[in-house]
Amino acid sequence: MVRVMGDSTPDLRALDHHGDADAAPGLLDFAVNVWGGAPPPWLRARLARLIDDLAQYPAAGHDARARAAVAARHGRRPDEVLVLAGSAEGFALLPALAPQHAAVVHPGFTEPEVALRRAGVPVTRVLTDPAAGHRLDPGAVEAAAAARTLAVQRRAQATELAAVPGVQVLPGVAPYLLLRLPVGTGDWVRAELRSAGIAVRRCDTFPGLDADHLRVAVRPSILVNRLVDALAVPLTEVGDAESGDTPGSMILK
């Protein structure tokens, strides 16, 4: 089970707490998750040889050799390797990818969420399950993100449909909306929608509902606009007939 947390949870930008704040001088440091020992002798020797070059920018050749070495070690291509000054630099670069929405898995590093929120990227927190040992389920991350998008689309679609005269959008959180139409118009409106190339679910087959209820799935806004426009045509005719603005009579069965 994965829990999805909304924006009411603590703002990590305000907390701004890292392990080094807990590692006060004189304490045995188990708080900071960096390698606690000294660099191995071979690495210290190489670093010492480069001290005189520290005033210069790294050359493109240095970067290419570093990426080639990392790629060979991990069985990747050099163009798949990005050399960073620690993972924190990578977190700070996340907004440069221009994400529309991000799912951040917790518990884990807090820096990615802070960087994304500071850049104005919407974030959904996905909490791993303690009963599963906090193991990551990659599928859960994707589901937490198709669910967040669906919820946003549902709210927008409900607003658009509720603005159509005669349409009542009933409350709910499912991936569809239940509509109630003016009495006696359901079958006729559904037929008019079908003539316009739009299919909706009849609801008189559900116990407790009748033909004046329609079920519509949540869809992207460009498709919702077509539904709204198609609904407005017959329901405007109904309103005109009821107000006497339309000559003749209209019988709805």
Side-chain angles (χ1 to χ4, degrees), residues 69-76 81:
V70 173
R73 173 66 176 81
H74 295 282
R76 312 302 300 184
V81 176

Side-chain angles (χ1 to χ4, degrees), residues 38-52:
W42 65 266
L43 179 57
R44 279 184 287 175
R46 293 188 183 186
L47 292 174
R49 290 198 300 269
L50 295 174
I51 289 178
D52 292 337

Side-chain angles (χ1 to χ4, degrees), residues 236-250:
T236 298
E237 292 181 20
V238 171
D240 291 342
E242 290 177 346
S243 64
D245 293 337
T246 300
S249 62
M250 180 182 297

Side-chain angles (χ1 to χ4, degrees), residues 40 42 53 63-64 79 83 99 103-104 119 121 166 173-174 179 186 205 220 223 225 228:
W42 65 266
D53 297 331
D63 177 73
D79 61 0
V83 180
V104 179
V121 178
V173 294
L179 312 181
T205 60
L223 302 180
N225 292 338
V228 168

Side-chain angles (χ1 to χ4, degrees), residues 33-35 82-94 109 111-112:
N33 58 330
V34 296
W35 174 249
L82 179 64
V83 180
L84 300 170
S87 57
E89 182 184 10
F91 300 150
L93 292 174
L94 288 176
F109 285 111
E111 289 94 336

Side-chain angles (χ1 to χ4, degrees), residues 172-239:
V173 294
Y176 58 79
L177 297 151
L178 182 61
L179 312 181
R180 180 182 291 146
L181 304 180
V183 176
T185 67
D187 287 336
W188 175 65
V189 169
R190 186 161 54 86
E192 291 294 300
L193 291 175
R194 192 171 188 84
S195 297
I198 297 176
V200 295
R201 174 65 158 89
R202 61 184 292 185
C203 291
D204 55 336
T205 60
F206 294 113
L209 301 180
D210 57 30
D212 293 328
H213 291 81
L214 300 179
R215 193 186 75 185
V216 296
V218 175
R219 295 288 185 259
S221 59
I222 191 171
L223 302 180
V224 174
N225 292 338
R226 288 183 54 191
L227 174 62
V228 168
D229 291 342
L231 263 177
V233 173
L235 291 177
T236 298
E237 292 181 20
V238 171

